[in-house]
């Protein structure tokens, strides 16, 4: 059995806007194709495909846990760790990025401490999933910490 952090309203809204933009680009590709410029239509179709892939990646972002380990999916990278390499999972008060932007504010973060590597921030209470939803952040952080306590102890 595996669990993931549900996508929040900011993340879903951003993905919906990307899909809306992709629909307009696909409409433009269709008009360009009917006008006879197939190279331009192919370019528009490629841009729409990138927008759709980006929206799907945004919806897939987050922390995923299973009995085998933990997977942190970011926009351009994915980190997978077996529970044996997880040293600790803890909630900490620290400066966190607001909606993933460069601006930082004081908030809570679920931090993964790895063996021999720098800590990795999995979740924050100011990201696209938990902004203005403190209870949801606490529930998600507690759930991931419980998975870590259960499966990390079986090393």
């Amino acid at each position: 059995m595996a669990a993931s952090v549900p996508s929040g309203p900011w993340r879903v809204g951003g993905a919906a806007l990307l899909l809306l933009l992709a629909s307009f680009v696909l409409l433009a590709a269709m008009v360009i194709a009917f006008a006879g410029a197939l190279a331009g239509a192919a370019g528009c179709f490629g841009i729409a495909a990138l927008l759709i892939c980006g929206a799907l990646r945004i919806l897939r972002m987050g922390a995923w846990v299973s009995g085998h380990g933990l997977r942190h999916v970011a926009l351009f990278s994915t980190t997978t760790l077996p529970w044996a390499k997880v040293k600790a999972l803890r909630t900490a008060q620290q400066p966190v990025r607001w909606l993933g932007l460069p601006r930082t504010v004081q908030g809570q973060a679920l931090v993964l401490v790895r063996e021999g590597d720098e800590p990795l921030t999995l979740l924050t209470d100011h990201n696209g999933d938990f902004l203005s939803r403190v209870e949801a952040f606490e529930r998600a952080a507690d759930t991931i910490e419980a998975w870590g306590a259960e499966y990390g102890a079986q090393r």
Side-chain angles (χ1 to χ4, degrees):
M1 185 173 152
S4 70
V5 175
S7 296
W10 287 93
R11 188 178 314 281
V12 172
L17 286 175
L18 280 179
L19 290 173
L20 180 66
L21 181 60
S23 70
F24 287 124
V25 173
L26 284 172
L27 181 65
M30 184 183 69
V31 169
I32 292 171
F34 285 146
L38 295 180
C44 284
F45 182 75
I47 291 171
L50 286 174
L51 288 171
I52 292 169
C53 288
L56 293 175
R57 183 67 180 191
I58 286 173
L59 290 174
R60 183 144 167 59
M61 286 171 50
W64 300 72
V65 292
S66 71
H68 300 288
L70 185 138
R71 177 172 288 170
H72 180 253
V73 179
L75 187 59
F76 295 114
S77 66
T78 299
T79 305
T80 304
L81 292 170
W83 287 117
K85 295 206 186 243
V86 175
K87 200 171 179 185
L89 281 165
R90 58 183 164 78
T91 304
Q93 280 289 121
Q94 66 183 36
V96 296
R97 292 172 34 170
W98 183 76
L99 287 177
L101 298 172
R103 177 183 172 200
T104 59
V105 295
Q106 191 65 23
Q108 289 187 354
L110 179 64
V111 179
L112 169 77
V113 180
R114 303 179 274 188
E115 290 182 0
D117 210 351
E118 63 185 39
L120 174 67
T121 301
L122 296 177
L123 311 170
T124 69
D125 61 347
H126 285 82
N127 69 6
D129 295 323
F130 301 110
L131 188 64
S132 301
R133 297 177 31 192
V134 177
E135 297 83 18
F137 169 78
E138 291 172 356
R139 195 169 44 246
D142 290 344
T143 301
I144 293 174
E145 286 175 344
W147 277 77
E150 181 178 343
Y151 291 103
Q154 296 177 1
R155 301 185 224 185

